[in-house]
């Protein structure tokens, strides 16, 4: 049996007719850059997330950058966790910020709010919690600390389309000031801005590069809308130097169709995660992912922990199963960030997790038979072959 790590063809087969018709419409309207198809998607996504504005851009990296650039000044320190894709920190640098890392919580793999206050200096201006793998970061305590220290919060929701957090999102829940009831809120609607990626393999994926900023702030929205289009509101009238970070019409059209299926696809991912949990739970030395009590995880990635991840990956690969490491090395130990002066041991929770994590195939179309086969091969590696120290 063959179980690829992602299978975008299976999804395409389901929606091919609708997609091709809409792409034809884009051509007939010659609406190739921004235009009505992008606008329709922006409105639909804003409604889906529960924010006033969605601004479509050309990638999640640009979304991270522009959300930050709208809020911070050059030289400001920005805190994030070291177990994220480098786009998060590239965006901080591109926005003129200075990267500061804080370790993660070992259960959720997201920024540990208990370690946040200790990393804040008078230069700190923003925090970027990453809703990694589709699991929301613990936003209420993060918002609480942000309010106390007058920080902006930019959610990196690149992997968390439709993921929900149970809280007040107000930053005063821990102190109990608001007395407000907790409610389920979408990732990307809680902080001052959110950044989404629509890279093809994401839970909501375009047919090329695309991303979006979400926000309730009119000022942030206006800055991002203008910056993505050369600092202009009106063609050839430029209030400041921006860049070309516009979303393409084809991407807006594809995303708008796929957004209608996202709820159904997310339920399928969650169902698959529950089935994997059940299949893997009794295999010694295999730790399955934990959905935090405050979280509705959307399983962009289904990540287990084992002691010999290289061995397991090799064994699965030999048996036709694709898997990945998200990520291979923590950012503070990458050559790109040697100038920041971090060393091994600085973020022990991240470092240990990064040596043990393996992402298994995960997508809505994954069949029970495929998951059973993956579980069977993991069992074989651990029990029969004595892998992972069993
Ligand atoms: C956490 C995170 N942030 C940002 C990005 C950047 O998104 P894009 O690839 O669309 O530029 C990604 C993409 O993988 C991501 O996983």
């Amino acid at each position: 049996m063959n179980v690829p790590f992602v299978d975008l063809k299976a999804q395409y087969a389901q929606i091919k007719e609708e997609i091709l018709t809409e792409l034809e419409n884009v051509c007939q309207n010659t609406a190739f850059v921004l235009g009505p198809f992008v606008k329709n998607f922006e409105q639909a996504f804003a409604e889906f997330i529960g924010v006033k504005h969605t601004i479509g851009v050309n990638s999640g990296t640009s979304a991270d950058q522009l959300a930050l650039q709208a809020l911070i000044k050059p030289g400001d320190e920005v805190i994030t966790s070291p177990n994220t894709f480098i786009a998060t920190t590239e965006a901080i640098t591109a926005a003129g910020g200075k990267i500061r890392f804080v370790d993660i919580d070992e259960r959720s793999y997201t920024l540990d709010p208990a370690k946040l206050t200790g990393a804040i200096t008078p230069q700190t201006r923003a925090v970027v919690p990453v809703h990694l793998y589709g699991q929301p970061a613990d936003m209420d305590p993060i918002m609480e600390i942000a309010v106390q220290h007058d920080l902006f919060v930019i959610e990196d929701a690149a992997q968390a389309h439709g993921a929900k957090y149970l809280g007040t999102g107000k930053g005063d829940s821990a102190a109990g000031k608001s007395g407000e009831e907790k409610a389920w809120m979408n990732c990307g609607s809680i902080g001052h801005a959110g950044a989404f990626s629509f890279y093809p393999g994401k839970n909501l994926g375009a047919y090329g590069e695309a991303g979006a900023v979400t926000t309730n702030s009119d000022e942030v929205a206006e800055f991002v809308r203008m910056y993505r289009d050369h600092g202009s509101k009106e063609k050839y009238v430029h209030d400041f130097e921006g860049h070309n970070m516009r979303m393409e019409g084809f991407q807006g059209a594809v995303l708008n169709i796929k957004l209608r299926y996202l709820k159904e696809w997310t339920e399928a991912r969650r169902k698959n995660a529950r089935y994997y949990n059940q299949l893997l739970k009794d295999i010694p030395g295999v730790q399955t992912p934990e959905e935090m009590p405050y979280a509705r995880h959307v399983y962009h990635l289904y990540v287990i922990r084992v002691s010999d991840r290289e061995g397991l990956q090799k064994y699965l690969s030999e048996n036709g199963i694709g898997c990945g490491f998200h990520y291979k090395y923590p950012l503070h130990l990458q050559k790109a960030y040697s100038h920041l002066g971090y060393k091994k041991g600085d973020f022990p929770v991240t470092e240990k997790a990064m040596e043990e994590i393996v992402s298994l195939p995960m997508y809505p179309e994954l069949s029970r038979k495929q998951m059973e086969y993956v579980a069977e091969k993991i069992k074989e590696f651990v029990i029969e072959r004595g892998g992972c120290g069993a």
Side-chain angles (χ1 to χ4, degrees), residues 59-61 64 84-85 87-88 130 156 158-159 197 199 202 209-210 327:
S59 71
T61 310
D64 268 331
T84 178
F85 183 51
T88 313
V130 182
D156 186 329
Q159 303 185 4
S197 163
Y199 188 73
K202 292 289 194 285
E209 302 276 1
Y327 291 91

Side-chain angles (χ1 to χ4, degrees), residues 158-181:
Q159 303 185 4
H161 318 73
K164 289 182 199 297
Y165 177 78
L166 182 64
T168 69
K170 291 280 195 289
D172 51 7
S173 60
K177 288 178 222 145
S178 68
E180 243 179 79
E181 290 284 311

Side-chain angles (χ1 to χ4, degrees), residues 86-382:
I86 193 170
T88 313
T89 44
E90 283 173 334
I92 296 173
T93 308
K98 292 206 164 87
I99 304 158
R100 295 285 175 264
F101 289 121
V102 162
D103 212 347
I104 54 165
D105 170 73
E106 73 181 326
R107 290 167 62 201
S108 69
Y109 302 118
T110 62
L111 191 141
D112 185 350
K115 297 184 182 126
L116 182 53
T117 307
I120 295 170
T121 75
Q123 283 72 49
T124 308
R125 202 72 196 99
V127 191
V128 183
V130 182
H131 304 306
L132 200 74
Y133 309 149
Q135 166 119 279
D138 193 1
M139 289 304 289
D140 272 358
I142 292 172
M143 295 304 289
E144 171 82 20
I145 295 164
V147 169
Q148 281 165 7
H149 295 267
D150 201 17
L151 308 178
F152 293 117
V153 178
I154 293 101
E155 298 172 68
D156 186 329
Q159 303 185 4
H161 318 73
K164 289 182 199 297
Y165 177 78
L166 182 64
T168 69
K170 291 280 195 289
D172 51 7
S173 60
K177 288 178 222 145
S178 68
E180 243 179 79
E181 290 284 311
K182 288 185 178 183
W184 287 100
M185 292 171 289
N186 268 299
C187 288
S189 71
I190 305 164
H192 299 88
F196 287 85
S197 163
F198 305 120
Y199 188 73
K202 292 289 194 285
N203 289 24
L204 179 61
Y207 284 0
E209 302 276 1
V213 173
T214 51
T215 184
N216 286 311
S217 156
D218 295 342
E219 292 77 27
V220 169
E222 175 159 290
F223 173 83
V224 176
R225 213 170 269 130
M226 290 176 74
Y227 196 99
R228 74 173 173 183
D229 197 12
H230 303 287
S232 70
K233 273 194 240 180
E234 192 186 326
K235 202 158 188 163
Y236 304 131
V237 181
H238 309 278
D239 291 9
F240 56 86
E241 264 190 346
H243 214 285
N244 176 1
M245 294 179 172
R246 298 174 296 228
M247 184 185 273
E248 294 183 344
F250 282 143
Q251 309 313 336
V254 167
L255 289 167
N256 213 7
I257 290 171
K258 290 177 76 172
L259 182 58
R260 296 175 207 144
Y261 293 88
L262 187 57
K263 245 176 131 172
E264 177 193 318
W265 289 338
T266 302
E267 278 314 316
R269 282 177 185 269
R270 288 177 53 75
K271 195 168 161 206
N272 290 348
R274 286 195 295 271
Y275 195 46
Y276 262 144
N277 287 346
Q278 189 189 322
L279 292 168
L280 300 173
K281 73 175 188 318
D282 295 327
I283 306 180
V286 174
Q287 192 181 320
T288 54
E290 186 176 350
E291 183 175 46
M292 301 302 284
Y294 57 73
R296 182 177 182 270
H297 198 319
V298 294
Y299 297 97
H300 171 56
L301 295 167
Y302 182 89
V303 179
I304 60 166
R305 276 174 88 151
V306 293
S307 60
D308 178 13
R309 69 171 185 172
E310 269 82 15
L312 180 63
Q313 185 191 38
K314 188 164 171 286
Y315 190 71
L316 294 181
S317 165
E318 284 163 7
N319 284 283
I321 300 166
C323 54
F325 300 152
H326 298 88
Y327 291 91
K328 205 161 186 174
Y329 306 109
L331 287 177
H332 68 287
L333 302 179
Q334 296 266 6
K335 190 173 162 195
Y337 292 124
S338 54
H339 62 281
L340 296 179
Y342 289 112
K343 57 184 186 322
K344 204 165 173 26
D346 282 346
F347 305 107
V349 182
T350 295
E351 287 168 28
K352 184 142 196 330
M354 299 283 102
E355 284 170 4
E356 299 176 350
I357 46 177
V358 187
S359 311
L360 301 182
M362 168 53 77
Y363 31 93
E365 301 80 12
L366 200 62
S367 69
R368 282 170 80 90
K369 280 216 153 37
Q370 284 175 310
M371 287 185 278
E372 284 158 12
Y373 177 69
V374 173
E376 182 194 308
K377 290 296 153 191
I378 294 174
K379 205 175 205 166
E380 224 169 75
F381 178 73
V382 174

Side-chain angles (χ1 to χ4, degrees), residues 3-54:
V3 191
F5 183 60
V6 284
D7 185 359
L8 299 181
K9 270 193 186 166
Q11 191 191 66
Y12 180 57
Q14 187 191 354
I15 54 174
K16 185 174 168 184
E17 306 289 308
E18 279 179 280
I19 292 277
L20 292 181
T21 304
E22 200 63 347
L23 293 183
E24 168 72 10
N25 288 338
V26 174
C27 294
Q28 291 296 346
N29 283 276
T30 64
F32 298 117
V33 178
L34 295 177
F37 295 88
V38 171
K39 199 165 238 156
N40 287 345
F41 170 66
E42 289 175 334
Q43 277 168 4
F45 197 67
E47 207 169 297
F48 175 79
I49 296 296
V51 286
K52 200 166 165 193
H53 307 279
T54 288

